[in-house]
Amino acid sequence: MWESGGTIEYYTFSNTQVSSEAVMKRRRDDMEIVWQTPANPPERHDYIFRDGVRYVRPYYFEFICHVKNRWARKTIVDMFADEFKGRPHEYYVSAVKSGRIQVDGEMVPISYVVQPSQKISHFLHRHEPPVMAWEVSILHKEPEVLTVCKPASVPVHPCGQYRKNTIVGILQAEHDLAPLFPIHRLDRLVSGLLILARSASKADFFRQQIEAGMVHKQYVAKVIGVFPEDEQVVNVNVNYNAQEGRSTVEVESVGIGGTKLKGKAACTKFTRISTNGTHSLVLCEPVTGRTHQIRVHLQYTGHPIANDMLYLSEEVVDRSNKGLGADRAAAKSAHSLPPVHDEECYTASTENSEEDFSIDPMCTNCPNLPPKGYDGREEALWLHCVRYTGPDWTYECPYPDWAMLG
């Protein structure tokens, strides 16, 4: 069953070594698996803190998707092996045979051929990537609006592999704040002001003002070199490549032969605040809101963010087989800069963080706490949102420690 080459596999459970047979017997005798869905809210005891890193206690979760046209007419196993490469082919065979992968709520054989629009359920032992355990500090709490200082490394809302290790999830678990509606984006490695509406109607109010160009956004960045003293306006298209996880700029409006380029119009204003001759602190005011816009526009000026591994090099980092984001893969491959230790806002408590968690014999990540490829150690990108201003409102966030140039 869960043996390999005739030898029993061993797992760590509550710091004790036990065999897979014992794990399975314990699970049969003592507990019933509870499958979570997005309807299950995060709770305070879901988190484990180790050495300044916030982990999520692994949990059972049902992923649901529907068969896309390009997946159709593949076997259920081949569909998963081709489209979801984070696990080996053998895992998907076992998952189908055991009923952890189902079609329209029914078990199917491994030879089953999927058809368009069918509902696919994947029941798995979910390990979320870790994030740094910096505090999500509340700046303003109003009846309809909440503003927080978002720490770097934490996504804003559930996406990809992240669900509980998000700003929305942490605020719900630790402050019982829900529902929350983020009204603007911040990249995962970006810190600073995050505005969350506390009702759908208030979120729509902010959305209308942002879409009408009535909201002024300000960030600070620490960049390489002496940035020009005069205001710099970068008005070049930004093209985001989802496969590579990074953006590039397009200077011309048309390509070779008059073909239209793929990039979207983008404009950012930059003003130098200070410089020490090695680095400069720059005020960044994006007029548009493209993916990685500030980062790639600063690269275009010749003054990239000083610890932005993704845009300090033209090298495209291969992340396809590691399940890593481009930022994380770039950081792992970079050796040119010393590590940064920004301890701002770190006050994470170790209470209620007992390290017991269930070990699943079928799980490809167990007995480790994080998923494969994630160690939780990341630098805070030197880009920080400091202010959002609307027609009759302003919200601000303090500057980070790294903004003080020595």
Short mmCIF file of all heavy atoms in Angstrom, two decimals, residues 329-361:
data_model
loop_
_atom_site.label_atom_id
_atom_site.label_comp_id
_atom_site.label_asym_id
_atom_site.label_seq_id
_atom_site.Cartn_x
_atom_site.Cartn_y
_atom_site.Cartn_z
N ALA A 329 12.17 32.35 -7.55
CA ALA A 329 13.20 31.67 -8.32
C ALA A 329 14.39 32.58 -8.57
O ALA A 329 15.54 32.15 -8.51
CB ALA A 329 12.61 31.19 -9.66
N ALA A 330 14.12 33.87 -8.85
CA ALA A 330 15.21 34.82 -9.07
C ALA A 330 16.05 34.99 -7.82
O ALA A 330 17.28 35.04 -7.87
CB ALA A 330 14.65 36.16 -9.53
N ALA A 331 15.40 35.07 -6.68
CA ALA A 331 16.11 35.24 -5.42
C ALA A 331 16.99 34.04 -5.12
O ALA A 331 18.11 34.17 -4.63
CB ALA A 331 15.14 35.47 -4.28
N LYS A 332 16.50 32.83 -5.45
CA LYS A 332 17.28 31.63 -5.19
C LYS A 332 18.51 31.56 -6.09
O LYS A 332 19.51 30.95 -5.73
CB LYS A 332 16.41 30.38 -5.41
CG LYS A 332 15.46 30.09 -4.24
CD LYS A 332 14.69 28.82 -4.50
CE LYS A 332 13.85 28.46 -3.29
NZ LYS A 332 14.68 27.99 -2.17
N SER A 333 18.42 32.17 -7.28
CA SER A 333 19.53 32.05 -8.23
C SER A 333 20.52 33.21 -8.12
O SER A 333 21.54 33.21 -8.79
CB SER A 333 18.98 32.01 -9.65
OG SER A 333 18.40 33.25 -9.99
N ALA A 334 20.23 34.20 -7.27
CA ALA A 334 21.07 35.40 -7.21
C ALA A 334 22.13 35.26 -6.11
O ALA A 334 21.86 34.77 -5.03
CB ALA A 334 20.19 36.61 -6.93
N HIS A 335 23.34 35.71 -6.42
CA HIS A 335 24.42 35.64 -5.43
C HIS A 335 25.18 36.96 -5.36
O HIS A 335 26.18 37.05 -4.66
CB HIS A 335 25.41 34.52 -5.79
CG HIS A 335 24.76 33.19 -5.92
ND1 HIS A 335 24.36 32.44 -4.83
CD2 HIS A 335 24.40 32.46 -7.01
CE1 HIS A 335 23.82 31.30 -5.24
NE2 HIS A 335 23.83 31.29 -6.55
N SER A 336 24.70 38.00 -6.05
CA SER A 336 25.50 39.21 -6.17
C SER A 336 25.31 40.19 -5.03
O SER A 336 26.15 41.05 -4.82
CB SER A 336 25.15 39.91 -7.50
OG SER A 336 23.76 40.21 -7.53
N LEU A 337 24.20 40.08 -4.29
CA LEU A 337 23.94 41.04 -3.23
C LEU A 337 23.87 40.35 -1.88
O LEU A 337 23.42 39.22 -1.79
CB LEU A 337 22.61 41.78 -3.48
CG LEU A 337 22.59 42.72 -4.68
CD1 LEU A 337 21.21 43.33 -4.80
CD2 LEU A 337 23.64 43.80 -4.54
N PRO A 338 24.31 41.03 -0.82
CA PRO A 338 24.20 40.44 0.51
C PRO A 338 22.76 40.40 0.96
O PRO A 338 21.93 41.17 0.48
CB PRO A 338 25.03 41.40 1.39
CG PRO A 338 24.94 42.72 0.67
CD PRO A 338 24.93 42.38 -0.79
N PRO A 339 22.43 39.51 1.90
CA PRO A 339 21.05 39.45 2.38
C PRO A 339 20.66 40.69 3.15
O PRO A 339 21.50 41.38 3.72
CB PRO A 339 21.05 38.21 3.29
CG PRO A 339 22.48 38.06 3.73
CD PRO A 339 23.29 38.54 2.57
N VAL A 340 19.36 40.97 3.14
CA VAL A 340 18.83 42.14 3.83
C VAL A 340 18.03 41.65 5.02
O VAL A 340 17.26 40.69 4.92
CB VAL A 340 17.91 42.94 2.88
CG1 VAL A 340 17.31 44.12 3.63
CG2 VAL A 340 18.70 43.42 1.69
N HIS A 341 18.21 42.28 6.16
CA HIS A 341 17.48 41.90 7.37
C HIS A 341 16.67 43.10 7.83
O HIS A 341 17.15 43.96 8.55
CB HIS A 341 18.44 41.42 8.45
CG HIS A 341 19.30 40.28 8.03
ND1 HIS A 341 18.80 39.00 7.90
CD2 HIS A 341 20.60 40.22 7.66
CE1 HIS A 341 19.76 38.19 7.50
NE2 HIS A 341 20.85 38.91 7.34
N ASP A 342 15.44 43.17 7.38
CA ASP A 342 14.53 44.25 7.74
C ASP A 342 13.60 43.72 8.81
O ASP A 342 12.69 42.95 8.53
CB ASP A 342 13.74 44.70 6.50
CG ASP A 342 12.93 45.96 6.77
OD1 ASP A 342 12.76 46.31 7.95
OD2 ASP A 342 12.46 46.56 5.80
N GLU A 343 13.82 44.12 10.06
CA GLU A 343 13.06 43.57 11.18
C GLU A 343 11.83 44.40 11.51
O GLU A 343 11.18 44.19 12.52
CB GLU A 343 13.96 43.49 12.42
CG GLU A 343 15.17 42.58 12.24
CD GLU A 343 14.75 41.14 11.98
OE1 GLU A 343 13.70 40.72 12.49
OE2 GLU A 343 15.48 40.45 11.26
N GLU A 344 11.50 45.37 10.67
CA GLU A 344 10.37 46.24 10.96
C GLU A 344 9.09 45.44 11.18
O GLU A 344 8.74 44.55 10.44
CB GLU A 344 10.14 47.20 9.78
CG GLU A 344 9.00 48.15 10.03
CD GLU A 344 8.52 48.78 8.74
OE1 GLU A 344 8.91 48.30 7.68
OE2 GLU A 344 7.75 49.73 8.83
N CYS A 345 8.39 45.77 12.23
CA CYS A 345 7.07 45.23 12.54
C CYS A 345 7.09 43.76 12.96
O CYS A 345 6.04 43.16 13.09
CB CYS A 345 6.10 45.39 11.35
SG CYS A 345 5.68 47.09 11.02
N TYR A 346 8.26 43.17 13.19
CA TYR A 346 8.26 41.75 13.55
C TYR A 346 7.91 41.60 15.02
O TYR A 346 8.68 41.93 15.91
CB TYR A 346 9.62 41.10 13.28
CG TYR A 346 9.65 39.67 13.77
CD1 TYR A 346 8.86 38.71 13.16
CD2 TYR A 346 10.41 39.32 14.87
CE1 TYR A 346 8.87 37.42 13.63
CE2 TYR A 346 10.42 38.02 15.34
CZ TYR A 346 9.65 37.08 14.72
OH TYR A 346 9.62 35.80 15.18
N THR A 347 6.71 41.10 15.30
CA THR A 347 6.27 40.87 16.67
C THR A 347 5.49 39.57 16.78
O THR A 347 4.69 39.40 17.68
CB THR A 347 5.38 42.03 17.17
OG1 THR A 347 4.25 42.14 16.31
CG2 THR A 347 6.13 43.34 17.17
N ALA A 348 5.69 38.67 15.85
CA ALA A 348 4.87 37.45 15.81
C ALA A 348 5.03 36.66 17.11
O ALA A 348 6.12 36.47 17.61
CB ALA A 348 5.28 36.58 14.63
N SER A 349 3.92 36.20 17.64
CA SER A 349 3.92 35.44 18.88
C SER A 349 3.98 33.95 18.57
O SER A 349 3.51 33.50 17.54
CB SER A 349 2.65 35.75 19.67
OG SER A 349 2.51 34.86 20.75
N THR A 350 4.58 33.19 19.48
CA THR A 350 4.63 31.74 19.29
C THR A 350 3.52 31.03 20.04
O THR A 350 3.46 29.81 20.03
CB THR A 350 5.99 31.19 19.77
OG1 THR A 350 6.17 31.55 21.14
CG2 THR A 350 7.12 31.74 18.94
N GLU A 351 2.65 31.78 20.69
CA GLU A 351 1.57 31.12 21.40
C GLU A 351 0.60 30.49 20.41
O GLU A 351 0.44 30.93 19.29
CB GLU A 351 0.83 32.13 22.29
CG GLU A 351 0.12 33.24 21.53
CD GLU A 351 -0.60 34.19 22.45
OE1 GLU A 351 0.06 35.01 23.09
OE2 GLU A 351 -1.83 34.09 22.51
N ASN A 352 -0.03 29.43 20.84
CA ASN A 352 -0.98 28.69 20.00
C ASN A 352 -0.33 28.21 18.70
O ASN A 352 -0.98 28.15 17.67
CB ASN A 352 -2.20 29.56 19.66
CG ASN A 352 -2.97 29.95 20.90
OD1 ASN A 352 -3.10 29.16 21.83
ND2 ASN A 352 -3.46 31.18 20.93
N SER A 353 0.96 27.92 18.74
CA SER A 353 1.62 27.46 17.52
C SER A 353 2.25 26.09 17.73
O SER A 353 3.37 25.85 17.32
CB SER A 353 2.68 28.48 17.07
OG SER A 353 3.70 28.59 18.05
N GLU A 354 1.54 25.21 18.44
CA GLU A 354 2.02 23.85 18.61
C GLU A 354 2.31 23.25 17.24
O GLU A 354 1.59 23.48 16.29
CB GLU A 354 0.98 23.00 19.34
CG GLU A 354 0.66 23.48 20.75
CD GLU A 354 -0.43 24.53 20.76
OE1 GLU A 354 -0.87 24.94 19.67
OE2 GLU A 354 -0.83 24.94 21.86
N GLU A 355 3.36 22.47 17.15
CA GLU A 355 3.82 22.05 15.84
C GLU A 355 3.26 20.70 15.42
O GLU A 355 3.74 20.11 14.47
CB GLU A 355 5.36 22.07 15.82
CG GLU A 355 5.90 23.46 16.09
CD GLU A 355 7.37 23.61 15.73
OE1 GLU A 355 7.95 22.62 15.23
OE2 GLU A 355 7.90 24.70 15.93
N ASP A 356 2.25 20.19 16.12
CA ASP A 356 1.60 18.97 15.67
C ASP A 356 0.86 19.24 14.37
O ASP A 356 0.18 20.26 14.25
CB ASP A 356 0.56 18.49 16.70
CG ASP A 356 1.16 18.28 18.08
OD1 ASP A 356 2.17 18.93 18.37
OD2 ASP A 356 0.58 17.50 18.84
N PHE A 357 1.00 18.37 13.41
CA PHE A 357 0.16 18.46 12.21
C PHE A 357 0.07 17.07 11.60
O PHE A 357 0.93 16.22 11.78
CB PHE A 357 0.69 19.49 11.20
CG PHE A 357 2.05 19.19 10.64
CD1 PHE A 357 2.19 18.48 9.45
CD2 PHE A 357 3.20 19.64 11.28
CE1 PHE A 357 3.44 18.22 8.92
CE2 PHE A 357 4.45 19.38 10.76
CZ PHE A 357 4.59 18.68 9.58
N SER A 358 -1.01 16.85 10.91
CA SER A 358 -1.29 15.52 10.39
C SER A 358 -0.36 15.18 9.24
O SER A 358 -0.07 16.01 8.38
CB SER A 358 -2.74 15.43 9.93
OG SER A 358 -2.99 16.37 8.90
N ILE A 359 0.14 13.97 9.24
CA ILE A 359 1.00 13.46 8.16
C ILE A 359 0.16 12.55 7.29
O ILE A 359 -0.45 11.60 7.78
CB ILE A 359 2.20 12.68 8.72
CG1 ILE A 359 2.97 13.54 9.73
CG2 ILE A 359 3.11 12.23 7.58
CD1 ILE A 359 3.53 14.82 9.16
N ASP A 360 0.11 12.84 6.01
CA ASP A 360 -0.72 12.05 5.10
C ASP A 360 0.18 11.16 4.25
O ASP A 360 1.08 11.66 3.55
CB ASP A 360 -1.53 12.99 4.20
CG ASP A 360 -2.51 12.23 3.34
OD1 ASP A 360 -2.10 11.69 2.29
OD2 ASP A 360 -3.69 12.17 3.71
N PRO A 361 -0.01 9.86 4.27
CA PRO A 361 0.87 8.95 3.52
C PRO A 361 0.89 9.19 2.02
O PRO A 361 1.87 8.87 1.36
CB PRO A 361 0.31 7.56 3.86
CG PRO A 361 -0.42 7.73 5.14
CD PRO A 361 -1.00 9.11 5.09
#
